[in-house]
Structure formats: structure tokens, C-alpha cells
Amino acid sequence: MSLTDTSIKTSETALGRDDLAKLVARDIAPGSFVNLGIGQPTLVSNYLTEEQNITLHTENGMLGMGPEAKGDEIDEDLINAGKIPVTELPGASYFHHADSFAMMRGGHLDICVLGAFQVSVTGDLANWHTGAPGAIPAVGGAMDLATGAKDVFVMMTLLTREGASKIVDACTYPVTGVGCVTRVYTDRGVFLTGPEGVTVRETFGCTLEELQELIPVPLKAASA
Amino acid sequence: MSLTDTSIKTSETALGRDDLAKLVARDIAPGSFVNLGIGQPTLVSNYLTEEQNITLHTENGMLGMGPEAKGDEIDEDLINAGKIPVTELPGASYFHHADSFAMMRGGHLDICVLGAFQVSVTGDLANWHTGAPGAIPAVGGAMDLATGAKDVFVMMTLLTREGASKIVDACTYPVTGVGCVTRVYTDRGVFLTGPEGVTVRETFGCTLEELQELIPVPLKAASA
Amino acid sequence: MLNFVESVQEAVAGIKDGSTVMIGGFGNAGQPFELIDALLECGATELTVVNNNAGQGDQGLALLIKEGRVKKMICSFPRQSDSWHFDAKYKAGQIELELVPQGNLAERIRAAGAGIGGFFTPTGYGTMLAEGKETRFLDGKWQVFETPIHADVALIKALKADGKGNLVYRKTARNFGPIMAAAAKHTIVQVSDIVPTGVLDPENIVTPGIFVNSIVKVAGSGLGTSTTAGKAA
Amino acid sequence: MLNFVESVQEAVAGIKDGSTVMIGGFGNAGQPFELIDALLECGATELTVVNNNAGQGDQGLALLIKEGRVKKMICSFPRQSDSWHFDAKYKAGQIELELVPQGNLAERIRAAGAGIGGFFTPTGYGTMLAEGKETRFLDGKWQVFETPIHADVALIKALKADGKGNLVYRKTARNFGPIMAAAAKHTIVQVSDIVPTGVLDPENIVTPGIFVNSIVKVAGSGLGTSTTAGKAA
């Protein structure tokens, strides 16, 4: 491990949301069953190719979810977890809520992609609650998603609006799950998290050294 | 409570298996969902009337089971818990084993009718295992049935071949369930069991006094 | 016993003050709007309501909350952009909230219907929502003990019922319907169609009639593209 | 990843010595006879087998037991009039038996697939089969703690599969298939027919393809009236 290790990939500029979604989509293994969280992760579906043969799960009871419904396709009985009307692909299936979450919680989904407020060095996730006094807590399926999938990918900007790193030593927001995140995709780099700490796989528009200055936890470079 | 109470019904002779099945069938409330155990309880289905609108459950995954299949009706994929080919009635439904037992264990069946080796004064049931040394134990769905239905009826001869009462103070055979039997139908009488002890509802071919001589626990007569 | 009733009013008439009422639906899909309206009308109060959300806009569950009929909400996601009636009651300390991760909500409802007295699940371990709960290390993971959620009444929406009370649903409107039907002592279903017994294929029945007590046909309900009033985006 | 394989031999080829293998079926309904025959042929040994019974007659699971491939049976009803091979091994102390009430068997298998680390159930309380197990008074009843049954492999039989591995079953042959498919790390299915993706109605799929790994078409399998060899009364 060394900050001068050059085995990690770099690109010249920070990544926009769509480029990041493209990157996540590219990293999903063919044939995977995937749940995309509400918000930024939903963009990933735009970049999945037919050859990848990915099956999308929505926790309100469906496998084989297609793109967002438009115009005449809109059917009030066919929505995703974000309550957006969606479509059905050939080979889809419907099931009730307990079966749907059993599928998730039983470890049958390969990947779940989530947004986050913070991710800790050991993969703790905070994405459900700001902890602000008076805020009404709402969790939805966040804790089930964080715990259930074989791999949990996070997509987020590296920094808050105030410039603080969202990759942290320990979450200051209430956690959603403990040690559950395996990979973090940000506009400035891709990080692997887990018991071994944080490993940088790629950097975007910055060097590893510059990244280390932004992030208050030790970074390792991925070996080739 | 008095042995000379005359409010209970009596008939002149002991009941045969079919007459007993007729009696049980008559006592099942219209619209009930019922599971009939293997053996003697199966006879009850012969005496259920169409007006009663009873739905039969078989724990291998079906509601709306019809009579035993004959000749061309026989379908290897359609059997009851005793592995006998059966038929399907209009309005039937199929489900998997966990859903089927959840239905039973969740208290949704109104009545389950079982055979027994012994029933205790407080409604403990012994019907799965003789406890004989070397005997291979086999339980099937007996314990689930004993525990799950709203009412558990037992059908059996009152006496063993050796003349011992099967209604006992405490089961000497290994129990199937504790305090689960609510009613016992025998060739010599109908008994209600529970925390209050044994109450005689009907006698067949004997008086209550004669019955008391056969059974080693105190009997109460049902009040009118 | 299964009853086919003529109106949603008749269907909910027996709901008592203080009942625990499960209400199906996720978003608008599967929400039994007409039954909820009837529940509001019938006046039952001091209710504990189990639903994924805590009402939206100025309709259905949101109105029930606004009118002060709901003592406690058990849900996974009470905070939505248009859940202002819940927000107001919550901030005024006039409604109790039991916040449950959605999968725990589903599994706890399923447990009630299946006769399970409690179970361990990894969901929520190490979080605020597991504080004070028993934990145990099982199958290589820390898990949290959760208990069943029983109900007196379930109000759900299905697509079709037959004469035996067997139900089929439509697309993602299935969601909580089947498990709530099994968890409640008394299950009331609004359907868009009642078909003769024998028409539904026994292989395809989702909720067997054993879980159903009252059925009411609501015209236009369950058709996917809404034509009835009272549905928000 | 889902694979369509050409033969039952190929389907079971990866099963290792010492594996826990779930085998679907209740009586002959839903028994994957051809897959069991292939398992016998492939030579895997020291197996733990999960099935409702412990083999009947001189076929399938009974032969696997006779040939000494089964170290342990987890089942609810090992004693049948024609379960002589199990009887002999059991009496000789050459096979281990974990006897489980049928509903606990089903619920424990379901728990494994659903990520439940353990649960409390009233079934078996106060009986020999709950001896030494933790008990707790919940929902007004004494209940017994039961743990999930996981498996390396499930061998099951369904009626049809589509190109996504979605399955439908036939009548009471459904039985343990759906829960075993979810509980095993690797699920192998024999079907009588493979249909193009899109042919099965999404509302009627019983086992979604996410639970399926290998599919093999077996002619004549799953047709209800048996025409293949190796099936006893």
C-alpha cells in the first residue's frame, strides 16, 4: 500500500451523475438481480444493456421491472418503491410484500445500490435519518436493503454542500446498517469499504493524494 | 354436577365408526374450514352435506379438497396428506407447504379431527408415538394439527383392545400437544375436555354411571 | 364466516373504537380508498392503524388522522411531502408512532398470520430502531428479536373474488394485501369484480377464502387507471 | 446465474460429498425422481438429506439410503410401510435422524430462504421433540425456539419454466418446491416443459427465477399421471 501506487485508474475530471450511473451499470455482472434505491441510484437503469440481462427488483413486490411508464403506459397498479409508475418486462413476476422482503433479506439479490449521507471506513451506512431534533423519522425499506443484498453499493457525491467528506471514520448520523457497504461510487472516486478499511479503486479529476486531503480516513490504493 | 343428572343425551347402543363419523359431521358448523386427520377422521367427509358448505384443508397444500379419486380421476399430482389420490372442488386453491402450515398454525382452521392413543383429562393429546423401545419415531403434521386449529376433535374407541380407557388422568404415551383437545368422540360417548376436566355430553349404549366405571377420571354431566 | 355485503358502510360497521386496523396498499396501488372513507364516516376512534405510510394529501388515511381518530400509527415511512396531517399531529404530540423497517413490518404481519410468536432478523441491528430490543448472534450475524403485529381488522383491496372468497390481485397492488388478510381477525376486502366460484384457476389464487370475512364490490376499483375520486399522485 | 442443462446427470454433477441436499415432494407428488436417480449415479456421499419422508420402496431416496450415501435424514415422517431401507440403516445405527414436525420443517426451510435466524412456534411445546430447546411464553402460549434449515442444494420438480427460470407447479405437487428453492444455495429443477419468456403470466408465477440455478427438462415429468419408471404407490 502506498499513495504513490499507480495501479488505480484515474480520469481527468470529476464525474457527473450520469457518468457515475454509467460506471455503476458497467460494474454489474451479467445476469444479476439488482435493487436500485430511490433517487440517484435509479439513474443506473438507464445504462444497463440488454446483453447484461439484469433483472430489477422493486421491494413493493416485483421482479422484472421495466423503465418508467410514459403516457398511455401509466397504470396506477404498477409502481416502483418510489411510487413512480413503471413498466413490466417479459419474464416479470409479482409477489406480496413479505415474499418480496424475504427475497431481499434472504440474501437473494446480488446487488443493491443506495444513496447515502455517510459511509464509515468499515462500511457502516447512514442514509435514513438526519437525527435532527423534531425531524419525523421515516425508514421505508432502507434497513432491509442495507442488510439483505449480497453487495451494497453506495452512490453519492463525495462531499457535502459544506465540503465535508461523506466517507467518515464513524457515522455521525444514525446508522441504517452496520458494516454493510462494500463499494462507494462518488463523483471523485470509487472506494471499497470493509473490515480492511477504505481502498481506492479509481479517482476522477484528482490524484489519490488530493483525495486523501479531502477524506479524514486513511486511504489505500487498490493493487493492480 | 351429578352422576344422576339426566340432561345428557343417550342412545341405546355403542356407535360404530360410521355412525360416529356421522355425529362428528353433524357437529361441524356451516361454513367451517376443516382438516380431517388420516384414518378414522377421514370417514367424516362422507357425511358432510352440501348445505354445510364445509371446506376441507389438506396440509400438503390445498383447500377445497373433494372426495377420493376413482378410476380416471386419479392424478398423481393431486393427493391428500395420507397420500391417497383425491379430487378438487370448485373454489379450490393450491399453496406451498409453508403457506399451508402457516394457515394451520396461525389458527385459521376452525376444526381439526384427529385419531388418538390417549387424551388426558386436561386435553393433552397422545397420537404420534408409542414410545416403544426401538420404534422409529414419525410425527408428520400431527403436532402442528394439534396446536393450530381453533378446535381439536378426537375420534377414537373409548377402550384399547385390552379394555383400558384411552381417556386418562395423564398420558402415558409421549404427548403430541398439551391441553389442545376440546372434544372427544368415542363409540361410548362424547366428552368435552379442558381445564375444567371431563364433561360428558352424550353416552351410547351405556349410562353415565357405567361410563364412569370404565374411565379412571371423574366425569361431569353436561348441563342442559 | 364469509359475507358478501352491499356497501362499504355495511362492511366497516362492526369496527369498534380502540381497534387495531391494518390498511393495505403501497402508494395508491392497493389502497382500499372507499373502505377507508367508510371507516372515517362510521366514526370509530382511538384506532391503531398499520399501513406502510401515514396518509397523504387530504384523503383517506390522512383524513382519519386529521379527524383525530388515530391514536397510533405503525408504519415504515410516515414522512412524505404531502403527509401534513400526520406531521401536524406528530409535532403536537397527538399521535403515537411506531416506526418499523418495511421488511420487518411485512415479516411481523406475516408472523401474526402464521402463528409465529417472534423471530430474529438482521434488519435494524445496531440502529436506533433496535434500541432496547433483544439481540442474538445467529447464522453468523447479529440479529434482533421482533414480534408479530396482530390486528382486529384488515381493510384491503383485491381485483377479483369468487364465491368462496378466494382473491386475486393486480400487479404491484398486491403488496400488503395477502399478509394483512391472514394477520387480522376480521378481513374486509373491496374488489372490482365478483366472479362465480370455479372461474378462478386454483393454481393462481393468491389469498384463499379462509382469510376473508367480508367482501364488497366497489365499481371501478382495482382497474389500474383510476376513475374514482379521492386519489392523489 | 441460471443455466439450462441437457441432462439430469449434468444438473447434479457439482454436488459434493458432505452436502446438505433438500429434495422436494410429498409422496410421489413433486418428487424429482430423475434428479434423485442422477444423484445416486453421481456417487456423492456423506449427504444430509432434507425431505418429508425417508424414502419408500426400492427407488429414489430409498436407494440413496440403501447405498449408504446418506449420513443424516431431516424429515417429519420416516416410518412408512415400505421404508425398509431407512428402517434397516436406522436400527443398525448407520443413519442419523432429526425428526421435525412437518410444519416446523416447512417453516424452518422458509426461514432459511427468508433470512430469519430463528423463530418461536407453539408446535411441539411440551413434547419429546422440544426437549432441550429454549421455550418462551409469547402471545398467550408457550412456544419453542426453532432455527432455519439451510441447504447447499435443492432438487425439485416443477411443471414449467420460462427463459428467466420462473416456475409454475401442478396441484399438490407444489408442496415443498417453492420454499426449498429459496432455502438452498443452488437450486436444480426438473420440469416437464420449458416455455418462452413472457408466456407465463407474471401474476401466476410461484417461484421467481431468482431462486433457480439449473433447469433440466425431463420428458413426461410432471404430467400428473405417471408414465415414467420408478414410481411406487
Side-chain angles (χ1 to χ4, degrees):
Chain A
M1 175 230 145
S2 153
L3 284 184
T4 54
D5 190 321
T6 56
S7 65
I8 62 169
K9 296 181 228 167
T10 63
S11 69
E12 299 210 345
T13 55
L15 287 196
R17 289 160 61 96
D18 281 285
D19 285 337
L20 197 60
K22 233 177 262 186
L23 189 63
V24 174
R26 190 201 65 192
D27 283 357
I28 295 176
S32 295
F33 291 86
V34 177
N35 186 299
L36 300 175
I38 296 173
Q40 198 176 344
T42 304
L43 292 176
V44 173
S45 65
N46 297 338
Y47 302 102
L48 295 170
T49 65
E50 209 165 315
E51 297 70 51
Q52 277 181 293
N53 189 28
I54 303 302
T55 305
L56 293 181
H57 174 257
T58 181
E59 60 263 38
N60 53 319
M62 182 188 195
L63 274 172
M65 180 175 67
E68 191 174 334
K70 305 283 182 197
D72 284 354
E73 292 172 339
I74 293 173
D75 179 336
E76 200 174 52
D77 286 343
L78 180 47
I79 59 175
N80 66 13
K83 294 165 190 168
I84 308 295
V86 291
T87 52
E88 170 189 298
L89 296 180
S93 54
Y94 297 103
F95 27 82
H96 64 58
H97 241 81
D99 279 351
S100 183
F101 277 84
M103 188 180 288
M104 180 192 295
R105 294 149 59 109
H108 303 284
L109 292 177
D110 296 297
I111 295 169
C112 143
V113 186
L114 298 173
F117 300 149
Q118 292 177 324
V119 179
S120 85
V121 64
T122 52
D124 294 355
L125 171 69
N127 76 347
W128 75 284
H129 190 24
T130 61
I136 296 178
V139 66
M143 290 186 181
D144 307 287
L145 284 160
T147 312
K150 288 177 197 149
D151 270 302
V152 174
F153 292 179
V154 158
M155 278 178 83
M156 63 181 190
T157 55
L158 178 61
L159 305 178
T160 66
R161 280 181 210 166
E162 294 74 29
S165 171
K166 294 183 185 173
I167 294 180
V168 294
D169 187 44
C171 294
T172 56
Y173 289 117
V175 299
T176 311
V178 176
C180 55
V181 176
T182 52
R183 212 180 277 187
V184 184
Y185 289 84
T186 77
D187 51 335
R188 311 301 281 271
V190 178
F191 306 84
L192 312 180
T193 51
E196 310 295 309
V198 181
T199 303
V200 182
R201 197 190 71 175
E202 296 178 55
T203 66
F204 310 129
C206 58
T207 63
L208 184 53
E209 287 77 5
E210 288 164 348
L211 213 49
Q212 180 67 82
E213 279 171 36
L214 299 170
I215 300 175
V217 300
L219 302 176
K220 290 185 285 193
S223 42
Chain B
M1 175 228 148
S2 155
L3 283 182
T4 53
D5 189 320
T6 56
S7 66
I8 61 170
K9 297 181 229 168
T10 63
S11 70
E12 299 210 344
T13 56
L15 286 197
R17 288 158 62 95
D18 281 285
D19 285 336
L20 196 60
K22 231 177 263 186
L23 188 63
V24 175
R26 189 202 66 193
D27 282 358
I28 295 176
S32 296
F33 291 86
V34 177
N35 186 299
L36 300 175
I38 296 174
Q40 198 176 344
T42 304
L43 292 176
V44 173
S45 65
N46 298 337
Y47 302 102
L48 295 170
T49 65
E50 208 164 317
E51 297 69 51
Q52 277 181 294
N53 188 29
I54 303 303
T55 304
L56 293 181
H57 173 258
T58 180
E59 59 263 39
N60 52 319
M62 181 187 195
L63 276 172
M65 181 174 67
E68 190 174 336
K70 305 285 183 196
D72 285 353
E73 292 173 340
I74 292 174
D75 179 336
E76 200 174 53
D77 286 342
L78 181 45
I79 59 176
N80 67 12
K83 294 165 190 168
I84 308 293
V86 291
T87 52
E88 170 189 298
L89 296 179
S93 54
Y94 297 104
F95 27 81
H96 63 58
H97 241 82
D99 279 351
S100 183
F101 278 84
M103 188 179 288
M104 181 192 295
R105 293 148 58 108
H108 303 283
L109 291 177
D110 296 297
I111 294 169
C112 142
V113 186
L114 298 172
F117 300 150
Q118 292 177 324
V119 178
S120 85
V121 64
T122 54
D124 294 354
L125 172 67
N127 75 347
W128 76 283
H129 189 27
T130 61
I136 296 178
V139 66
M143 289 184 182
D144 306 287
L145 284 160
T147 313
K150 287 177 199 149
D151 270 302
V152 174
F153 292 179
V154 158
M155 278 178 82
M156 63 182 190
T157 56
L158 178 62
L159 305 178
T160 66
R161 280 182 209 164
E162 294 74 29
S165 171
K166 295 184 187 173
I167 295 179
V168 294
D169 187 45
C171 294
T172 57
Y173 289 116
V175 298
T176 310
V178 176
C180 55
V181 176
T182 50
R183 212 180 278 187
V184 183
Y185 289 85
T186 77
D187 52 332
R188 312 299 282 272
V190 178
F191 306 84
L192 312 180
T193 51
E196 310 295 308
V198 181
T199 303
V200 182
R201 196 190 72 177
E202 296 178 57
T203 66
F204 310 129
C206 59
T207 63
L208 184 55
E209 288 76 6
E210 287 164 348
L211 214 48
Q212 181 66 84
E213 281 170 35
L214 298 171
I215 299 175
V217 300
L219 303 177
K220 288 186 285 192
S223 43
Chain C
M1 272 301 276
L2 177 66
N3 287 300
F4 290 85
V5 298
E6 290 302 311
S7 69
V8 288
Q9 287 77 15
E10 193 185 336
V12 304
I15 300 180
K16 294 191 178 65
D17 290 355
S19 297
T20 295
V21 181
M22 290 180 170
I23 302 180
F26 181 92
N28 286 345
Q31 288 267 6
F33 288 103
E34 289 78 2
L35 284 173
I36 304 171
D37 289 347
L39 176 59
L40 182 66
E41 204 181 309
C42 89
T45 190
E46 290 285 302
L47 303 173
T48 295
V49 172
V50 184
N51 181 259
N52 188 61
N53 302 105
Q56 295 155 258
D58 277 300
Q59 55 164 337
L61 177 52
L63 289 184
L64 214 56
I65 291 168
K66 180 188 177 196
E67 298 299 328
R69 307 289 177 72
V70 183
K71 185 181 62 179
K72 178 178 177 181
M73 275 302 315
I74 302 178
C75 69
S76 86
F77 208 83
R79 188 188 64 225
Q80 308 205 143
S81 58
D82 56 353
S83 56
W84 45 70
H85 293 306
F86 177 81
D87 294 10
K89 290 285 180 194
Y90 184 78
K91 286 176 178 157
Q94 290 169 349
I95 195 163
E96 205 182 324
L97 170 65
E98 180 177 348
L99 187 71
V100 183
Q102 200 173 145
N104 282 359
L105 187 66
E107 189 68 20
R108 291 174 63 191
I109 294 169
R110 190 257 174 199
I116 299 297
F119 58 88
F120 285 92
T121 172
T123 294
Y125 176 75
T127 75
M128 268 171 60
L129 299 187
E131 275 169 23
K133 293 190 174 182
E134 178 183 351
T135 58
R136 195 177 287 197
F137 195 75
L138 293 164
D139 279 344
K141 289 176 198 169
W142 279 101
Q143 308 208 15
V144 182
F145 187 62
E146 296 288 348
T147 53
I149 301 174
H150 296 274
D152 298 297
V153 179
L155 306 181
I156 66 170
K157 178 166 128 175
L159 180 66
K160 293 179 193 176
D162 70 11
K164 286 277 190 183
N166 294 309
L167 305 179
V168 294
Y169 299 82
R170 189 165 177 279
K171 302 189 184 281
T172 58
R174 186 184 301 194
N175 58 68
F176 287 95
I179 51 174
M180 287 182 169
K185 288 195 201 93
H186 189 86
T187 296
I188 303 169
V189 190
Q190 66 172 72
V191 296
S192 63
D193 209 4
I194 296 171
V195 300
T197 299
V199 166
L200 300 179
D201 186 337
E203 301 285 359
N204 303 340
I205 285 164
V206 176
T207 294
I210 192 171
F211 298 119
V212 176
N213 300 94
S214 297
I215 294 176
V216 58
K217 183 173 165 172
V218 173
S221 158
L223 297 177
T225 45
S226 169
T227 52
T228 55
K231 303 188 182 173
Chain D
M1 273 300 278
L2 178 65
N3 288 300
F4 291 85
V5 298
E6 290 301 312
S7 69
V8 288
Q9 287 76 17
E10 193 185 335
V12 304
I15 301 179
K16 294 190 178 66
D17 291 354
S19 297
T20 296
V21 181
M22 290 181 170
I23 301 179
F26 181 91
N28 286 345
Q31 288 268 6
F33 287 104
E34 289 78 2
L35 285 173
I36 304 171
D37 289 347
L39 177 60
L40 182 66
E41 206 182 308
C42 89
T45 190
E46 290 285 304
L47 303 173
T48 294
V49 172
V50 184
N51 180 261
N52 189 61
N53 303 104
Q56 295 156 260
D58 277 300
Q59 55 164 336
L61 177 52
L63 288 184
L64 215 56
I65 291 168
K66 180 187 176 196
E67 298 299 327
R69 308 288 178 74
V70 183
K71 185 181 62 178
K72 178 178 177 181
M73 275 303 313
I74 302 179
C75 68
S76 87
F77 208 82
R79 188 188 64 225
Q80 309 205 144
S81 58
D82 56 352
S83 57
W84 44 72
H85 293 305
F86 177 82
D87 293 10
K89 290 284 180 196
Y90 183 80
K91 285 176 176 157
Q94 291 169 347
I95 196 164
E96 207 182 321
L97 170 65
E98 182 178 345
L99 187 72
V100 183
Q102 200 173 146
N104 282 359
L105 187 65
E107 189 68 21
R108 291 175 63 190
I109 294 169
R110 191 257 172 200
I116 299 297
F119 59 88
F120 285 92
T121 171
T123 294
Y125 176 76
T127 75
M128 269 173 59
L129 299 187
E131 274 170 23
K133 295 190 174 181
E134 178 183 350
T135 58
R136 195 176 288 197
F137 195 75
L138 294 164
D139 279 343
K141 290 177 197 167
W142 280 101
Q143 309 208 14
V144 182
F145 186 63
E146 296 288 347
T147 53
I149 301 175
H150 295 275
D152 298 297
V153 180
L155 306 181
I156 66 170
K157 178 165 128 175
L159 180 66
K160 294 180 193 176
D162 70 11
K164 286 277 191 184
N166 293 310
L167 306 179
V168 294
Y169 300 81
R170 190 166 176 279
K171 302 190 185 280
T172 58
R174 185 183 304 195
N175 58 68
F176 286 95
I179 50 174
M180 288 183 169
K185 288 196 201 91
H186 189 87
T187 295
I188 303 169
V189 190
Q190 66 172 71
V191 296
S192 63
D193 209 3
I194 296 170
V195 301
T197 299
V199 167
L200 300 179
D201 185 337
E203 301 284 359
N204 302 339
I205 285 165
V206 176
T207 294
I210 192 170
F211 298 119
V212 176
N213 300 94
S214 298
I215 294 176
V216 57
K217 182 173 165 172
V218 173
S221 158
L223 297 176
T225 45
S226 168
T227 52
T228 55
K231 304 187 181 172

